[in-house]
Amino acid sequence: MRILISNDDGVNAPGLAALHAALEGYAECSVIAPDQDKSGASSSLTLDRPLHPQRLSNGFISLNGTPTDCVHLGLNGLLEQTQDMVVSGINLGANLGDDVLYSGTVAAAVEGRFLARTALAISLLSRLPDNLPTAAHFARLLVTAHEQLDLPPRTVLNVNVPNLPLEHIRGIRLTRLGHRARAAAPVKVVNPRGKEGYWISIAGDAEDGGPGTDFHAVMQGYVSVTPLQLDRTYNEAFSSMDTWLEGLL
């Protein structure tokens, strides 16, 4: 069993080390991660310059690229041996609802969609590492149980772990993605030379966060596990759009 581990917080992030420590006794683990924080990179690939992997003293590979770059290279020639699955994380910060559209953590898992085994993206609902052992415990639990999982190809599991000690976790819930309200307005700044710029502001609060959603589960103290499908085709729209398009001719 070979697992490729990546993240978007960077190769020196504590969550990456915690995930590797949790899985290395179960499988042969290879780590390829960005050389700096690439949060919010989504599934972007670096196409305007070459990528230069560097092996660190702990055996991890640092790459001057995005999370998707890391997994793409790892599955397509950078590693000598074929990998069986991809596990991404442990992200410090939630990836709930619409976050999956922007998340580099989720994107790294998505890039593992071509493998036979379902990829996982794992996030802890905190910017602090205090409860990383909780997230690491569930990462190990879910990965070691994956052989009993029967999901269609190109499915990814998005896992969010409440920021709680392990003994305070109430269980695991199967959830759907909730939805956030519109994000706060960008914050305008002016540098000492008078040039204007903008900081992207915080994500919106949960707008659809009721029972059954990932937002609701984690707020109730449960680990949220959401299966993601990657075919974004809106099949239910075909009937109305077919008539609409015919009317254009």
Side-chain angles (χ1 to χ4, degrees):
M1 180 65 179
R2 299 187 184 95
I3 296 177
L4 173 57
I5 295 173
S6 192
N7 74 347
D8 71 356
D9 285 343
V11 71
N12 296 310
L16 187 73
L19 181 59
H20 180 262
L23 299 182
E24 65 176 342
Y26 168 73
E28 181 181 325
C29 296
S30 298
V31 178
I32 308 177
D35 61 359
Q36 56 186 293
D37 190 335
K38 289 292 183 178
S39 298
S42 189
S43 289
S44 59
L45 286 168
T46 301
L47 303 177
D48 59 348
R49 57 181 170 80
L51 298 168
H52 301 288
Q54 292 187 319
R55 189 171 293 275
L56 307 182
S57 59
N58 61 0
F60 293 4
I61 295 175
S62 173
L63 189 73
N64 62 327
T66 68
T68 299
D69 290 331
C70 294
V71 177
H72 186 83
L73 263 64
L75 300 184
N76 294 288
L78 183 58
L79 300 176
E80 292 182 2
Q81 296 177 311
T82 301
Q83 302 298 296
D84 296 305
M85 71 182 300
V86 171
V87 184
S88 179
I90 298 169
N91 190 65
L92 291 182
N95 277 305
L96 299 164
D98 304 290
D99 298 342
V100 302
L101 298 173
Y102 311 103
S103 168
T105 303
V106 175
V110 166
E111 192 63 16
R113 66 192 180 276
F114 302 104
L115 302 180
R117 300 180 188 270
T118 300
L120 282 81
I122 302 170
S123 303
L124 176 68
L125 272 72
S126 176
R127 297 294 180 185
L128 301 175
D130 303 49
N131 287 311
L132 269 176
T134 303
H137 170 84
F138 284 101
R140 169 84 180 209
L141 181 67
L142 292 167
V143 169
T144 55
H146 80 279
E147 291 185 5
Q148 289 76 49
L149 190 61
D150 184 18
L151 288 173
R154 303 193 179 202
T155 304
V156 172
L157 296 184
N158 186 41
V159 181
N160 281 275
V161 181
N163 183 35
L164 297 169
L166 181 58
E167 61 271 20
H168 292 165
I169 297 290
R170 298 177 65 185
I172 304 176
R173 286 273 174 88
L174 180 62
T175 59
R176 67 173 177 86
L177 293 177
H179 293 285
R180 291 189 183 275
R182 191 171 181 174
V187 178
K188 183 178 179 179
V189 294
V190 180
N191 73 13
R193 294 180 176 84
K195 186 174 183 179
E196 296 180 353
Y198 293 87
W199 282 101
I200 297 295
S201 192
I202 59 174
D205 294 329
E207 187 173 59
D208 173 15
T213 67
D214 45 5
F215 286 101
H216 188 266
V218 295
M219 291 302 102
Q220 297 298 313
Y222 292 92
V223 174
S224 166
V225 179
T226 306
L228 306 179
Q229 61 180 3
L230 305 181
D231 181 357
R232 297 186 181 181
T233 307
Y234 184 18
N235 293 289
E236 289 78 6
F238 272 52
S239 57
S240 62
M241 285 198 65
D242 187 48
T243 303
W244 175 66
L245 290 173
E246 285 181 358
L248 300 179
L249 299 177

